[in-house]
Every structure is written in C-alpha cells, then in structure tokens.
Amino acid sequence: METSEIIKKVRKIEIKARGLSSNIFAGQYHSAFKGRGMAFSEVREYQYGDDVRDIDWNVTARFNKPYVKVFEEERELTVMLLIDVSGSLDFGTQKQLKRDMVTEIAATLAFSAIQNNDKIGVVFFSDKIEKYIPPKKGRKHILYIIREMLDFHAESRHTDVAQAVEFLTGVSKRRCTAFILSDFYTQRNFMQQLTIANSRHDVVAIQVYDKRACELPNIGLMKVVDAESGFEQYVDTSSKKVRDTYHRYWEKRQADLKETFAKSNVDSVSIATDEDYVRSMMGLFNQRG
C-alpha cells in the first residue's frame, strides 16, 4: 500500500473512530472498564446493590457474613490490544474483510482509551509474536498504531492465541485491560493461558467472523482454500448433508469457544462482518457496566 493511500485510510478511520469513541462509547467505556483499574484499599460489610464480584471470600469466611473489597480508582488504566494478523483474517464475503473490521474496532477502542487518559499498547500475533508496541498515551501514538494495523505484513499465516496470551502475562506486570481481537481459528487450546492471564488482568475476547463460516451457500461444486495452511479442496455445496455437516461443525466450534471463555471467566462478544459492531460493543459494555 502506498504512503498516500495509507494516510488517507488512517484519516478515514480516525474520523470514524473518534466520532464513535466520543459520542457513543465515552461513558460506557469508562463505566465498563474503570473498575478493573483500581487499587485495593480496604474491606467493609456487604450492602444491598454491591457488586458480588467485589466480595472478599477470605474475610467473609472468617466473619461469617459478606464483606466486599473497597477500591480506589487508579489515575490511569493500561489497555492492551492483542490483534490477530494471521492469514484467516484476509477473508470476507459480506461488507468487508475480517481484518478491516478488526482494525476499525481496535481504532475505536484506542480512541476511547486516550479520551479516558489511558495508555494503549498493542501485540500483533500470528502463531508467534509478530510485533509489540509498548503502552503510551496520545493521538500521535494511536495514529502510529492504526498505520501499523493497515500496513502490517505478518511473517506467518498461522494462529496461536495461547502464545499471544502467554506473552501478555509475561510483558504486562501491572494490571491492565486486554482486548483479544481475532476469529479464534487457533492451532491449540488456550484455556489455561487465558485463565492465568485473566486472574492478573481484565481480559475481553472479541471474535470477528464472516457469515460464510457458519453456512455454505447452495451453489454446486465450490473450491475451498484454507487461508492459513494453503490446503485446497472441492466441496459439493448442492448436497444438503454436506451443508448440514458444515453448519454443525461451526456450531460445535462456537460452543467450545463459548465454554472456554466462560470457564476462564472472560467476557466475550461475537461480531459478523456484515453486522453493526457499534451495537455489539455497546451490548458488551452495558453487560459489564
């Protein structure tokens, strides 16, 4: 991509993302994530309306009645974006590629973060850590991140979410809020790494998918290529049995993914490339707020 084209795209994304983050996300983002950037101060007896997640179970057990932790809000929060840059993101049969939507969501989160005076850092990952941008504040830093997202070429086309999450745990010593943006076509199970990371940080999973991943169209013989391995095969989509098997595979995969997030206690949202991601993200924020 030529420099002038990149600058044009960066500007376009900045205008959209800044508008969304200031007009729509500002309050919701702050209320949804501020509680995860707080320092533990003291405990007090539970009162009606307190968040059950703040219960201190050790003190509760000792005194035989519920006590909650009282937090003091830290001056700033660190936000980490773990962005999947593997080959499978270069796919889209609807309005846009999965990669384009990931870039827009990440940019909107980044602008929401700086409006909240938070630092923002990025980890680009495939089946290895492709690039790490340490957390910083400011518009200049965010424009650099967006530019990288638009023009980044990964060395590998494969995906390993576990390694990316492990890297987060190693590199972020202070508690942070981390968003994983991926389609989660990953080579190995990542539940253990996710559980460890989420015990130290506040991890949120954002899955971006294309509707063609859910069901095949009835268009006869179709050539299918795996974007990560390069494996090619022909599939007879006119067969109802083939289409049903494909759909069942998708449903099983989604159920497994949902179970992984639930067991790791990680909030998640799934967004199709032809959906309004603003509505989905607002739903996520409101669920947490």
Side-chain angles (χ1 to χ4, degrees), residues 105-119:
I105 295 171
T108 305
L109 287 170
F111 278 110
S112 299
I114 59 161
Q115 284 191 353
N116 206 41
N117 202 33
D118 298 335
K119 289 180 181 175

Side-chain angles (χ1 to χ4, degrees), residues 15-28:
I15 291 165
K16 184 173 181 179
R18 281 184 75 147
L20 288 172
S21 60
S22 56
N23 300 329
I24 302 171
F25 285 170
Q28 280 82 357

Side-chain angles (χ1 to χ4, degrees), residues 39-72:
F40 173 59
S41 174
E42 58 186 48
V43 294
R44 62 163 169 78
E45 271 193 56
Y46 178 87
Q47 295 169 4
Y48 179 76
D50 283 339
D51 192 333
V52 292
R53 291 177 297 181
D54 293 337
I55 290 176
D56 187 318
W57 294 107
N58 291 330
V59 178
T60 297
R62 201 179 309 145
F63 292 103
N64 260 336
K65 54 181 160 181
Y67 276 80
V68 291
K69 295 174 182 175
V70 179
F71 296 90
E72 286 177 1

Side-chain angles (χ1 to χ4, degrees), residues 8-288:
K8 207 180 289 178
K9 280 199 166 187
V10 169
R11 186 72 186 128
K12 194 177 173 183
I13 287 177
E14 183 192 6
I15 291 165
K16 184 173 181 179
R18 281 184 75 147
L20 288 172
S21 60
S22 56
N23 300 329
I24 302 171
F25 285 170
Q28 280 82 357
Y29 168 90
H30 185 68
S31 60
F33 299 104
K34 65 174 182 180
R36 305 300 181 265
M38 293 188 176
F40 173 59
S41 174
E42 58 186 48
V43 294
R44 62 163 169 78
E45 271 193 56
Y46 178 87
Q47 295 169 4
Y48 179 76
D50 283 339
D51 192 333
V52 292
R53 291 177 297 181
D54 293 337
I55 290 176
D56 187 318
W57 294 107
N58 291 330
V59 178
T60 297
R62 201 179 309 145
F63 292 103
N64 260 336
K65 54 181 160 181
Y67 276 80
V68 291
K69 295 174 182 175
V70 179
F71 296 90
E72 286 177 1
E73 192 168 350
E74 291 179 351
R75 280 189 299 278
E76 63 187 32
L77 192 64
T78 297
V79 176
M80 291 298 299
L81 302 176
L82 277 63
I83 300 175
D84 184 348
V85 290
S86 64
S88 61
L89 272 290
D90 290 321
F91 179 76
T93 61
Q94 308 296 315
K95 287 182 180 176
Q96 58 187 338
L97 298 179
K98 288 186 277 186
R99 188 180 304 284
D100 296 336
M101 180 169 266
V102 163
T103 300
E104 280 197 24
I105 295 171
T108 305
L109 287 170
F111 278 110
S112 299
I114 59 161
Q115 284 191 353
N116 206 41
N117 202 33
D118 298 335
K119 289 180 181 175
I120 185 108
V122 178
V123 177
F124 290 119
F125 71 93
S126 53
D127 60 349
K128 62 179 186 175
I129 304 306
E130 296 274 353
K131 184 172 183 131
Y132 170 55
I133 303 173
K136 266 189 187 176
K137 291 183 185 182
R139 177 176 173 268
K140 193 177 172 186
H141 178 62
I142 287 183
L143 293 181
Y144 165 65
I145 287 170
I146 296 170
R147 203 159 51 240
E148 284 295 295
M149 285 192 284
L150 285 169
D151 202 39
F152 191 82
H153 301 287
E155 288 180 14
S156 172
R157 295 190 66 77
H158 301 285
T159 317
D160 187 352
V161 173
Q163 192 173 64
V165 175
E166 215 163 27
F167 179 80
L168 169 75
T169 305
V171 81
S172 298
K173 300 304 177 191
R174 279 187 63 195
R175 189 170 176 83
C176 72
T177 294
F179 295 92
I180 309 172
L181 294 104
S182 174
D183 55 10
F184 292 95
Y185 283 106
T186 185
Q187 291 181 317
R188 61 184 169 124
N189 187 286
F190 55 92
M191 191 191 292
Q192 186 187 350
Q193 291 84 353
L194 194 59
T195 305
I196 292 168
N198 199 46
S199 68
R200 299 180 189 180
H201 306 292
D202 180 22
V203 183
V204 180
I206 300 171
Q207 181 195 26
V208 172
Y209 69 95
D210 188 275
K211 286 208 169 153
R212 191 60 76 239
C214 321
E215 46 195 63
L216 289 171
N218 184 355
I219 55 169
L221 208 59
M222 186 169 87
K223 185 180 178 182
V224 181
V225 183
D226 186 311
E228 299 201 355
S229 67
F231 176 73
E232 297 180 7
Q233 66 175 359
Y234 283 90
V235 176
D236 183 9
T237 63
S238 62
S239 162
K240 188 175 184 308
K241 188 181 175 184
V242 167
R243 295 198 308 273
D244 288 349
T245 303
Y246 183 85
H247 185 63
R248 278 197 302 273
Y249 163 76
W250 165 260
E251 287 190 322
K252 168 77 167 63
R253 185 179 170 273
Q254 287 302 98
D256 290 346
L257 202 54
K258 211 170 179 180
E259 186 182 16
T260 296
F261 296 142
K263 285 186 175 176
S264 309
N265 204 24
V266 165
D267 289 332
S268 66
V269 63
S270 292
I271 310 171
T273 50
D274 62 339
E275 284 178 1
D276 177 8
Y277 70 82
V278 172
R279 188 176 297 170
S280 301
M281 293 298 291
M282 290 291 284
L284 173 71
F285 290 0
N286 291 333
Q287 171 193 325
R288 297 171 56 95

